[in-house]
Amino acid sequence: MFDLISKRSANLKNDVLAGLTAVLTLIPEAVAFTFVAGIDPMMGLYGSFFIGFITAVFGGRPAMISGAADSMAVVTTAFIIMFGLEYLLAAVVLTGLLQVIFGALKMGKFIRLLPHPVMLGFVNGLAIVIGMAQFGQFKENIRVVYDKQHDMFTYAGDWMQLTSPATLTMMGLIA
């Protein structure tokens, strides 16, 4: 029961079922994070495919995350607003190279220096940011506007009417 990482022989049926389960959970997650990041859902699906393919080719370890990450979606949103979509691929490739370098230098051990409340605060803040990003689905005529007072770009739009078919459909899906 306490042997968390144990070597088991390969079982084709279990491996196929595990792969299908991972794919079926990865697709809606990747599409949802593309909405948060404000990019085309096909880009998220292609990115998730290549992440999974690279992990399968080079191997992984138990409990290794190899899919869309909510923290990257939040950072990507700000990156796209500031620099545009044309630099997104270069930024993601650079992020992957930095992760490989940090892994080769065994820098993952430094995460133990972070206190538990800091990690909980980060996760809670991330949940708030992702939750607030969902309110954008209830706006029409969305445009990017430069806010001179705060020196940043923001999304602006008109709130949908509560009786519009799109709003009623979304509320019905949520409830």
Side-chain angles (χ1 to χ4, degrees), residues 61-82:
R61 61 182 185 86
M64 181 176 172
I65 298 172
S66 58
D70 47 1
S71 57
M72 280 300 291
V74 171
V75 171
T76 303
T77 304
F79 184 85
I80 291 171
I81 290 174
M82 290 174 56

Side-chain angles (χ1 to χ4, degrees), residues 21-106:
T21 303
V23 166
L24 292 176
T25 58
L26 187 67
I27 291 172
E29 181 183 43
V31 171
F33 287 147
T34 58
F35 288 135
V36 171
I39 58 176
D40 183 30
M42 285 305 291
M43 292 177 73
L45 291 174
Y46 285 135
S48 295
F49 169 76
F50 283 112
I51 289 172
F53 181 74
I54 290 169
T55 303
V57 168
F58 292 108
R61 61 182 185 86
M64 181 176 172
I65 298 172
S66 58
D70 47 1
S71 57
M72 280 300 291
V74 171
V75 171
T76 303
T77 304
F79 184 85
I80 291 171
I81 290 174
M82 290 174 56
F83 302 110
L85 195 57
E86 45 284 337
Y87 294 109
L88 181 61
L89 178 63
V92 172
V93 169
L94 180 62
T95 302
L97 290 175
L98 287 173
Q99 287 179 345
V100 169
I101 291 169
F102 290 164
L105 296 175
K106 307 248 189 249

Side-chain angles (χ1 to χ4, degrees), residues 105-113:
L105 296 175
K106 307 248 189 249
M107 295 182 80
K109 60 187 170 199
F110 292 116
I111 196 69
R112 292 187 203 120
L113 298 175

